[in-house]
């Protein structure tokens, strides 16, 4: 997606795009983990197997749990991205403010 010149260097743009990207990655990761996990084992009570529900109900339950996991991980990834990018912007601003005319001395 093309951005206007200088826009990709602003903290607000990086924070928004990074947070949205983090949410998307979290949702994708949640879909993958939701498909891989929560397998219902065959339940046996007093030596007899308990019948499982119809396939439609099983598919619906799998969809609901996958959706919940995707949204939850998306929110977590978005939060982590926002905190990381905000702290990165603060550090960058502080370095720019205090390090304009100072020379780096690598010999000390």
């Amino acid at each position: 997606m093309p951005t206007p010149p200088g826009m990709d260097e602003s903290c607000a743009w990086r924070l928004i795009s990074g947070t949205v990207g983090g949410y998307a990655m979290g949702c994708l990761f949640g879909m993958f983990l939701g498909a891989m996990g929560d397998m219902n084992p065959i339940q046996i009570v007093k030596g007899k197997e308990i019948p499982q529900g119809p396939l439609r109900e099983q598919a619906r339950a799998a969809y609901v749990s996958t959706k919940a996991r995707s949204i939850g991980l998306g929110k977590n990834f978005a939060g982590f991205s926002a905190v990381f990018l905000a702290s990165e912007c603060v550090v960058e601003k502080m370095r720019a403010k205090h390090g304009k005319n100072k020379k780096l001395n690598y010999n000390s």
Side-chain angles (χ1 to χ4, degrees):
M1 177 169 100
T3 59
M7 181 85 159
D8 56 347
E9 293 181 12
S10 73
C11 279
W13 173 254
R14 287 191 305 184
L15 183 67
I16 291 169
S17 64
T19 303
V20 169
Y23 181 78
M25 288 300 295
C27 285
L28 290 173
F29 196 59
M31 284 194 304
F32 175 73
L33 288 178
M36 298 295 288
D38 291 341
M39 299 290 181
N40 293 332
I42 297 173
Q43 298 178 351
I44 298 176
V45 175
K46 295 183 182 178
K48 294 186 179 180
E49 182 180 325
I50 298 175
Q52 296 182 351
L55 183 61
R56 179 172 277 195
E57 288 180 18
Q58 291 178 17
R60 174 92 175 130
Y63 171 75
V64 168
S65 73
T66 301
K67 181 180 172 186
R69 182 172 282 182
S70 289
I71 291 173
L73 281 176
K75 288 179 183 178
N76 287 339
F77 275 55
F80 293 146
S81 297
V83 168
F84 174 76
L85 290 169
S87 62
E88 182 184 32
C89 281
V90 167
V91 167
E92 217 173 78
K93 296 289 182 187
M94 294 303 291
R95 285 190 66 186
K97 187 185 293 185
H98 295 293
K100 284 183 180 176
N101 297 324
K102 296 184 180 188
K103 295 181 181 178
L104 294 176
N105 187 4
Y106 291 112
N107 297 329
S108 58

